[in-house]
Amino acid sequence: MVQTAATLATVEGTLARLLTALFVGGAALTVIAALGGYALAARALQPIDQMTRTARRISAEDLSARLDLPATDDEVGRLAVTFDEMLGRLDESFRRERQFTANASHELRTPLAAMQVILGVVRAQPRTTPEYEAAIDDLADEAERLQTLVDRLLYLARRDAQRSDLRKPVDLTFLLADIVDSLEPLAAQKGIALTLRTPARLMIQGDSDSLARLFVNLLDNAIKYTQQGGVSVSAAAHTDGATVTVSDSGVGIAAEHLPHLFDRFYRVDAARTTRGAGLGLAIAHDIAQAHGGDIAVSSQIGQGATFTVHLLS
Ligand code: ATP
Ligand code: MG
């Protein structure tokens, strides 16, 4: 029997050191991982923090704040870009809303001020019966003007909120004949010839009340801005719908005004010798677009104007 013995001290020493190293290293690693994780998460979430701060700064009065983060193609970067785009759209729509309200108030003030002037003049001293009658006529005119304006403003405000059913069969020939009939006296009063050329039947899809409003606005302008000559309306079937043109031999429109003609409250006649709020064409344009159609204008100063409406069947 052979017995050998060796000391385990070195092995145990190594194991003990290993254990210590594992403990210390493990603890240090945990701390480093925690700190690193925290730092990384903080960095990744920093844009979100910035979004929170920006969102807190935004109010309906001031929508100009933007994140403007450097573009990165990750989830947060895309969220930031979407957030900025949304702010841009909101800003634009609030701006338009404010502009609309400002313009509307301005337009409403004019007839009201005129009414106050008429009343002030009448009440300043006792008047004769014909004077009272004249004043009442003037007041009635202003009231009518207010009525039209309020109607148009309400129409625009409602149309933004709700869309009516735009897919009912409408016979354009019948509709146009009806409108031309009702505006005939207005044209006759100014000595303007009103002619209508349509096929026997011209069916499209739409809402007849809105379409009537569209053509009344165009014809109203054609008659209003024509001093002599005529206004002609013609309609024809098109490959995918119908085309209606309203042309007049009136004052015409200078080229620089054409791009803005369909803007709300836009008027060429800055001196305001003719009455109007500049809403007729904006409404006509809205209606044409709501029908998936379009409306275009061609004109030269002194050469009359032609408005062409495309509608889908
Ligand atoms: P509203 O229709 O609200 O009573 P308006 O007629 O002035 O007022 P729009 O119908 O929107 O407003 O027309 C805008 C502007 O375009 C008018 O002020 C006018 O200067 C010009 N315009 C429109 N139609 C014609 C036309 N047929 N001939 C010449 N100018 C026109
Ligand atoms: Mg008009």
Side-chain angles (χ1 to χ4, degrees):
M1 181 189 281
V2 180
Q3 243 185 5
T4 58
T7 173
L8 284 172
T10 42
V11 176
E12 275 170 358
T14 310
L15 276 178
R17 274 204 305 282
L18 185 62
L19 206 61
T20 318
L22 270 179
F23 265 122
V24 174
L29 259 179
T30 314
V31 171
I32 289 170
L35 287 178
Y38 181 79
L40 277 179
R43 227 187 98 163
L45 291 178
Q46 189 228 335
I48 295 191
D49 224 23
Q50 198 163 334
M51 280 183 210
T52 313
R53 281 198 300 274
T54 310
R56 216 171 261 150
R57 252 192 304 142
I58 291 166
S59 65
E61 282 74 46
D62 181 19
L63 283 165
S64 62
R66 296 284 181 283
L67 292 173
D68 278 333
L69 294 178
T72 50
D73 191 24
D74 54 18
E75 288 79 358
V76 176
R78 284 193 293 273
L79 177 62
V81 170
T82 313
F83 189 79
D84 275 355
E85 284 170 358
M86 180 195 74
L87 283 178
R89 284 194 301 272
L90 279 178
D91 199 9
E92 172 62 21
S93 94
F94 268 88
R95 201 188 53 72
R96 257 189 287 136
E97 205 70 29
R98 270 197 298 271
Q99 185 68 44
F100 182 70
T101 316
N103 288 338
S105 334
H106 177 84
E107 290 300 330
L108 286 170
R109 237 183 359 229
T110 317
L112 283 175
M115 287 170 130
Q116 268 165 346
V117 169
I118 298 167
L119 287 173
V121 169
V122 175
R123 286 161 78 187
Q125 61 188 72
R127 302 278 170 184
T128 61
T129 310
E131 280 172 335
Y132 280 124
E133 280 171 359
I136 289 172
D137 283 348
D138 288 347
L139 283 177
D141 278 354
E142 294 302 334
E144 195 186 315
R145 195 176 166 196
L146 261 181
Q147 172 84 49
T148 316
L149 187 58
V150 170
D151 274 355
R152 293 191 161 179
L153 290 174
L154 267 181
Y155 181 83
L156 281 172
R158 276 208 213 103
R159 247 201 46 68
D160 285 345
Q162 67 184 37
R163 296 188 169 248
S164 49
D165 181 14
L166 299 174
R167 304 216 55 84
K168 281 173 284 185
V170 177
D171 184 357
L172 272 186
T173 295
F174 184 79
L175 186 86
L176 289 172
D178 208 21
I179 294 170
V180 166
D181 254 5
S182 65
L183 290 175
E184 188 74 63
L186 190 66
Q189 207 179 32
K190 287 187 75 177
I192 293 169
L194 200 52
T195 53
L196 174 66
R197 250 195 4 254
T198 50
R201 210 171 112 93
L202 184 51
M203 299 305 294
I204 60 150
Q205 297 285 329
D207 173 58
S208 62
D209 284 350
S210 308
L211 290 172
R213 199 179 263 270
L214 188 171
F215 295 118
V216 165
N217 286 357
L218 290 185
L219 270 166
D220 177 57
N221 282 348
I223 297 170
K224 185 158 68 169
Y225 300 109
T226 301
Q227 299 318 325
Q228 58 183 8
V231 172
S232 68
V233 183
S234 65
H238 202 260
T239 40
D240 55 356
T243 305
V244 181
T245 58
V246 177
S247 6
D248 62 64
S249 57
V251 294
I253 304 154
E256 76 251 33
H257 297 295
L258 294 179
H260 310 288
L261 221 55
F262 298 102
D263 293 352
R264 290 175 182 183
F265 298 105
Y266 189 84
R267 301 203 69 217
V268 172
D269 179 18
R272 305 204 158 224
T273 44
T274 51
R275 290 192 156 185
L279 289 176
L281 286 180
I283 290 177
H285 187 253
D286 260 24
I287 295 171
Q289 291 221 314
H291 280 77
D294 208 356
I295 175 166
V297 55
S298 73
S299 178
Q300 263 175 8
I301 196 106
Q303 307 271 313
T306 301
F307 288 83
T308 310
V309 186
H310 287 288
L311 294 166
L312 302 180
S313 56

